[in-house]
Structure formats: C-alpha cells, structure tokens
Amino acid sequence: GYGFTPGFEDYSEMNGYGMWRTASAWYYLMWSVLASALILLGVLFWDRGLGQNILKKLQLKSLQLNSFGKLTVFGLLIAFVFLQSFIYRQVNEKDNFELSKDADIEAASYERAFGFLQSKTHPIYTNIDLILDFFPQERRAEYLINSQITHTSPIPIDSVWLSLPDHVVIQRLNIDGIDLSSALRVDEIHNMVAFKLPNGLDSSASVSVQMNLTKRFEGFSQEEPQASLVYRGSFASIDDFLPFIGFDNTKILTENRARMEQELPRLSSLLPSLSDTAASKRNIYRVDASPLSGTLTMSTTHDQVLMGPGLIIHQEQKDERNYTTFQIKSPTPLNWCIGTAPYSIIENSGVAEVQIYHNPDHPYNSHLYQDIVEQSIIFIQENLGNYPFEKVRLYEIPHYQEPIYAFSNGIAISEKEGWIADTTGLKERAYLYQTTASGISQHWVQENLDIAHVEGADMLRLALPEALALQFVYHSLGEEAVELLIEQKRQIYNKDRFSDPNGEPALLYADGKDYLEANHGAITLYKWSKRLGFDAFNRLILDWSQQAKPATFESLYRNMVKGVSKENQEELAEDFETVASDS
C-alpha cells in the first residue's frame, strides 16, 4: 500500500491528503500496470525445462506464456506509456510544476519585461467588496470584486497594470460602468493584464473597478499542496485571489546567487531603504492598498463553515450551501484571510466574545485557547490601552501555511502549533500562551500602526508582537517558561542564519527574513523591554504609536535610545545596528 500513502509530512488532519489523494491513486495505477507487465515478462523469460532461443520465447505460440498473456504484456506496456503521458499532462501542462531552473528564468524574464513599472506610479485599492463562491470538491472559486482604486500621485496616469495570482483568470472587467473585457492586454506567461482607463486618472481621483474572476486548480501537483482550494480545509490569504496593482515584487528572484546567474543586478536589501520617501508612504501589509474597509459575502458547501475577516453580520443556508457575510467597518490593513472547512465551534463571552473554530477531532485544547485569548486581551488592555475588537475568532488551519496569521477579528493557527498538544508540560503550555498572545498583539499593532514598507518593517509587524507575547508569558507562567521559549527561538535563529543566501542584516535594516525578526528580533526587543522595565517600555510603545505616522522601526529605535542611559546606549546600538556575532 506504499503508493497509496503520499507521505507523513503531506498529511493534514484538517484536509487529509488533499489534492495528493487523487494524485497518489494515478501514480499507484501507473506503477501497478508496469509491475504487472514485469511479472508476466518474468514468467515469459523464466528459464525452465529445455533451453530456448530468446526469439522463440517472444513468439505468440511459445508455451512459456500463452498468446493472451503476451498480448496482455503488450497492452500493459502501452497503458503504462499512456498513464505516464497523462500524469505528465496533469502535472506539467496544467501549471502544477516547474523546474527551479525554469522558475528562475521566468522570474528574470518578468523583471526584464515589466521592471519599467517600478519607476511608474500606480493607483491603490481604497475599498473592496468581495462576493465569492467556494466549490471545494472541484477545487474552484468563482468571485466578483467590486473595488475603488484611487490615484495618490500628482502625475496623471492613463492605464492600469494588474498582476494576477497563479491559476486566476479574469472573466470580465468593468471600469465605471464601461466594459473593458475585450480591450485587455494579456501576458499569459507572466500572468499580467493591462487596460487603458477611459478618462485617465488625476491626483486623488478614483474609479470603480469590477472584476469577475475564476480561480481553479486542474490536474494535480507533485509538491505544492495548493491549499487555497482543497476538498476540505481550504485556507488562503486574500493575495491568492486579489490581483496586485503594478509591479509585483513577490515574483522576482530574491537570492543574489540566482540573480547573478540570470545576469540581474544584486539586491542590497529585500525592502526599500529607510530613506525611500515613496516607499515609506506604502503599507507593509500590501503596498497596493491603503488600510480599507469592505464587505465579504461568501458561500460554500452545506457541510463546511466559512472563514473571513471582520464581523459576521449575516448567516444562512440556502440551496444546500452555507452563506456568510463579513463586514469590516473601520479601515484595516489588507492582510485578510479567507477559507472554508468542516469546523466545530465553541464560544464564550467575557472581556470579548471569543469563538474557537476547530477540527471536530481536535477539541482537546479549545477551552484552553479560549482562556488564553481572554487573558491576552486583558494584558493588552492593561498595558497598551483598548484592544481593537469586541469579537474574536480563533481558527485551526492546515499545517501547509505559516504557523500563525492575524487579521481583522480573526487569528488562524496551524494544526501543528498546539491543537493536539499535551499541555501538562511547561514548555508546551508556554508555547500555546506565546503563539496566541502574539496573534492578539498583532491585532493591536495592525490597528494602531501604519507600518511603512521600508527596512525594519517586520520588526514592528512580527518582532514587537512576539516580544509582547513573551511579556505575557512572563506574567502568566513565570520566567522559566520565557527562558524555554527564548531558547527555542535562539536555536531556530542560529540554525538558519548561516544559510541566508544574501547575508544577515542588522535588525535596524531587517528585510523580512523568516528566521530573523520573529526570533532574534523578538528576543532582543524582549531583552530591552525587561531592561527598561515592562511598564516603561509599554508606555514608550503607546506614546510613540500615537505620533508615528507612518511607523518605522527606526523611529521606535530612536525613541528607545532616548529612554536608556548613556552607559547602555552603546550596547543598544550594538544589538540593533550591527549583525549579531556567532553564538
């Protein structure tokens, strides 16, 4: 049965083997056909009795294997070639797999073809309403985006460029009531679309853009879980559905060695420099959008529950489908997450109305999570003022994505992060406290800081909430629990820092390294929060947040410098302005 088991690392208790359930059956069939042919060939060439010439064994009249058996071998070999060709088409020709070398060439081609867009000004999303229908069993979503885009530059523009997410197709495009579907300029290789604005856009002018889109996965993948649309347990960032306006930096080569091989200039940083005034006006969560409000109306099959940002204002079941409407009333960063899964729900009202959406087979720590969410909210209220939401939903999600996501009214935590953990041990219990409090702290950061898209941004977006969560663990479980978490973070940091292909930057110039901000950055911020005193550090954060517009880590760091003695300023500078020494 090995062929029926794609691999332990590919299994999710939220969605089973997902797409690999289908793929493994076809692979198993293909190799079974070949194995059957080899067995029959073994019978044919097994030398028993008097020796025979090999050509005689291939004759249909040979007694070693009868005519039907030999024709069966021939048919099985044809079937094997056919199945191999079929699988190749399902994987390669339906855009489910690409060699790393080919991916590098395509990324370099995108940068050469559309690099000119980096120097141009582009409008941004200022409002989004989404109507989306999930069809999990078909791995398909049909959706309508009603958006407002606004031009913020004084230089007029006459066209808009859209970078489409993978497997997304625009079916219809309408600008201020004018259908432009037939006037699209499309680059299918790089998934780029461009269209002329009927009347152009001057500074501060807006247009209504309506897009009908389809996202669908066909065939099957060898390595990508395609987790945004699976049979059950779909989960995705809005980035997986919403076209990006302008040049999409996520499509470029980021490793300097690969860039040199493709004859592209080296990158000094993955983020714009602190002196880039244009970039400082963009938001780190999504540079083509301002903090915005909107409404999301989604549907899914009758046996699944919908996930989304904002308040739930309407729910109903109709025509064997579940419908939910989410509303985001006040502007929030465009880091929304959506999904559909067969959840069980528990809820409780305390300092906030807390709902836990969990796998029905994972009820073990649901009530503990509920308690931690409430305690974390109290911690934020006591140390940083009002927590921004009266209702919070905590979702369990498949392990294919990042460990934790925080968005308006919602937190999503991977199934491997504690939902089935034995929390009698201090280390495991501390980890649940820290991850949950980090999500709650991210809520406060997202609602109170307009983080600029420049170096150091993730020190505010990730490291600061992690440091606040360590404070929460200290107050809740004690110093030993914090030390266990810090040691774990230190191990992750030391393990990954030396494999950074572009070299590690100082924390002040951190540019979004997976290992850096959430580990070394969090440890260092926690160290100085303890050195300054938790109360003094939190007051500094609160006072600074009310003045920092836009917010950069550099400005917070300068405020920290003012808060320490001259004797400590040198150590502070060493921690944040230089790369850490080996440890």
Side-chain angles (χ1 to χ4, degrees):
Y2 181 78
F4 283 124
T5 308
F8 175 75
E9 71 279 1
D10 296 325
Y11 185 76
S12 161
E13 293 197 25
M14 286 290 295
N15 60 21
Y17 283 117
M19 170 278 312
W20 287 304
R21 181 185 73 188
T22 304
S24 64
W26 282 102
Y27 278 105
Y28 191 85
L29 177 61
M30 179 183 74
W31 292 118
S32 296
V33 165
L34 180 62
S36 300
L38 291 175
I39 290 172
L40 292 175
L41 286 171
V43 172
L44 175 62
F45 289 106
W46 182 20
D47 193 12
R48 55 184 178 171
L50 296 174
Q52 292 183 12
N53 185 290
I54 191 169
L55 294 176
K56 288 186 177 181
K57 289 188 175 186
L58 293 175
Q59 294 175 3
L60 288 176
K61 294 182 179 180
S62 169
L63 297 178
Q64 193 82 340
L65 191 68
N66 63 25
S67 300
F68 177 77
K70 291 173 181 175
L71 289 173
T72 301
V73 170
F74 185 67
L76 288 172
L77 291 174
I78 291 176
F80 172 74
V81 173
F82 170 79
L83 287 169
Q84 193 175 47
S85 175
F86 170 78
I87 290 172
Y88 178 87
R89 292 195 305 272
Q90 296 298 306
V91 175
N92 291 60
E93 294 182 6
K94 295 194 175 179
D95 199 24
N96 293 316
F97 175 76
E98 188 174 32
L99 294 170
S100 57
K101 181 179 179 180
D102 293 337
D104 288 353
I105 293 172
E106 184 177 316
S109 171
Y110 171 76
E111 190 169 346
R112 292 191 184 98
F114 299 103
F116 70 93
L117 294 175
Q118 296 182 80
S119 60
K120 291 185 174 294
T121 59
H122 305 280
I124 60 174
Y125 291 109
T126 50
N127 187 81
I128 291 176
D129 292 323
L130 174 70
I131 301 173
L132 184 145
D133 297 315
F134 281 108
F135 299 94
Q137 296 308 313
E138 300 173 33
R139 295 193 294 150
R140 173 172 64 92
E142 302 284 344
Y143 55 109
L144 169 68
I145 295 174
N146 288 306
S147 63
Q148 195 80 10
I149 64 172
T150 304
H151 186 47
T152 58
S153 169
I155 304 173
I157 60 172
D158 62 358
S159 60
V160 174
W161 290 81
L162 298 176
S163 176
L164 302 182
D166 289 341
H167 301 275
V168 169
V169 176
I170 291 183
Q171 305 293 351
R172 193 174 71 87
L173 178 72
N174 187 290
I175 306 292
D176 279 344
I178 302 173
D179 191 343
L180 297 182
S181 303
S182 60
L184 294 178
R185 173 185 168 188
V186 180
D187 182 325
E188 294 183 356
I189 295 176
H190 301 108
N191 244 15
M192 292 290 289
V193 169
F195 57 89
K196 287 279 187 181
L197 291 166
N199 301 310
L201 266 184
D202 296 325
S203 179
S204 301
S206 299
V207 291
S208 296
V209 179
Q210 185 180 80
M211 292 178 277
N212 292 79
L213 305 104
T214 299
K215 183 179 179 76
R216 182 171 192 167
F217 293 113
E218 297 181 286
F220 39 81
S221 166
Q222 289 188 146
E223 54 183 6
E224 286 296 322
Q226 300 177 336
S228 59
L229 289 170
V230 290
Y231 302 120
R232 67 179 196 270
S234 300
F235 174 83
S237 162
I238 194 68
D239 297 348
D240 293 312
F241 291 88
L242 180 68
F244 186 90
I245 302 175
F247 185 82
D248 187 354
N249 272 299
T250 64
K251 290 186 176 182
I252 70 169
L253 285 174
T254 56
E255 295 185 8
N256 279 327
R257 180 179 297 177
R259 292 182 64 83
M260 292 172 67
E261 289 175 355
Q262 298 299 324
E263 299 181 350
L264 293 171
R266 291 173 59 87
L267 294 175
S268 58
S269 175
L270 301 182
L271 285 175
S273 70
L274 292 165
S275 60
D276 191 329
T277 55
S280 67
K281 297 176 182 178
R282 302 289 188 179
N283 190 282
I284 185 60
Y285 295 99
R286 181 125 175 177
V287 298
D288 65 338
S290 63
L292 43 73
S293 56
T295 301
L296 298 87
T297 300
M298 298 187 288
S299 74
T300 187
T301 51
H302 71 281
D303 58 337
Q304 298 197 25
V305 179
L306 290 154
M307 169 201 300
L311 294 171
I312 295 176
I313 61 172
H314 181 72
Q315 289 179 295
E316 66 173 333
Q317 189 171 86
K318 183 173 62 176
D319 300 328
E320 294 296 306
R321 292 185 65 81
N322 287 329
Y323 291 81
T324 303
T325 300
F326 301 86
Q327 187 176 57
I328 300 168
K329 292 184 177 180
S330 58
T332 189
L334 187 55
N335 64 338
W336 305 346
C337 294
I338 59 176
T340 172
Y343 285 118
S344 290
I345 306 171
I346 66 169
E347 52 187 303
N348 184 48
S349 295
V351 293
E353 186 178 314
V354 180
Q355 293 182 318
I356 308 297
Y357 288 63
H358 65 89
N359 181 342
D361 296 329
H362 296 169
Y364 317 107
N365 291 324
S366 297
H367 290 286
L368 176 57
Y369 268 125
Q370 200 168 44
D371 292 340
I372 298 172
V373 169
E374 291 209 0
Q375 293 176 42
S376 302
I377 291 172
I378 293 171
F379 171 79
I380 290 295
Q381 290 175 334
E382 291 177 347
N383 290 276
L384 294 171
N386 291 331
Y387 176 70
F389 306 122
E390 295 180 358
K391 298 182 179 182
V392 186
R393 298 182 299 277
L394 179 63
Y395 299 95
E396 181 180 4
I397 59 172
H399 68 81
Y400 303 127
Q401 291 89 0
E402 298 295 325
I404 183 170
Y405 297 80
F407 47 94
S408 179
N409 292 94
I411 298 170
I413 296 179
S414 165
E415 62 189 326
K416 287 189 174 181
E417 295 301 301
W419 293 92
I420 57 174
D422 179 358
T423 57
T424 55
L426 180 61
K427 183 176 181 180
E428 290 74 19
R429 195 174 188 86
Y431 190 72
L432 260 71
Y433 272 70
Q434 195 267 333
T435 52
T436 308
S438 173
I440 295 296
S441 299
Q442 285 187 54
H443 279 165
W444 185 89
V445 167
Q446 291 168 16
E447 296 299 315
N448 288 275
L449 300 179
D450 183 13
I451 304 175
H453 184 245
V454 294
E455 292 168 326
D458 276 357
M459 287 298 293
L460 299 177
R461 187 172 67 95
L462 297 178
L464 178 57
E466 290 282 324
L468 291 170
L470 290 173
Q471 276 192 45
F472 170 70
V473 173
Y474 179 89
H475 288 300
S476 302
L477 301 177
E479 188 166 0
E480 182 184 354
V482 174
E483 289 304 317
L484 289 170
L485 294 171
I486 287 177
E487 180 58 29
Q488 184 179 25
K489 286 182 175 293
R490 188 175 287 118
Q491 289 176 4
I492 296 172
Y493 167 65
N494 285 331
K495 173 179 173 291
D496 294 342
R497 60 183 301 212
F498 298 111
S499 59
D500 188 334
N502 292 6
E504 178 186 355
L507 291 176
L508 189 61
Y509 309 105
D511 57 357
K513 313 286 189 182
D514 289 341
Y515 68 89
L516 182 60
E517 293 92 338
N519 295 295
H520 179 53
I523 293 171
T524 308
L525 275 177
Y526 175 76
K527 164 190 168 181
W528 283 99
S529 70
K530 196 172 182 181
R531 183 82 65 87
L532 292 169
F534 292 144
D535 290 341
F537 178 80
N538 294 337
R539 281 197 305 272
L540 184 151
I541 295 293
L542 181 58
D543 293 342
W544 166 79
S545 69
Q546 295 169 352
Q547 302 169 1
K549 300 185 186 304
T552 65
F553 180 66
E554 180 192 36
S555 66
L556 174 59
Y557 169 68
R558 300 304 173 198
N559 274 267
M560 289 174 62
V561 171
K562 297 175 186 176
V564 301
S565 63
K566 290 186 177 180
E567 294 77 21
N568 286 326
Q569 287 180 3
E570 185 176 340
E571 183 181 352
L572 187 72
E574 183 177 348
D575 281 349
F576 289 103
E577 296 186 43
T578 63
V579 177
S581 57
D582 297 351
S583 61

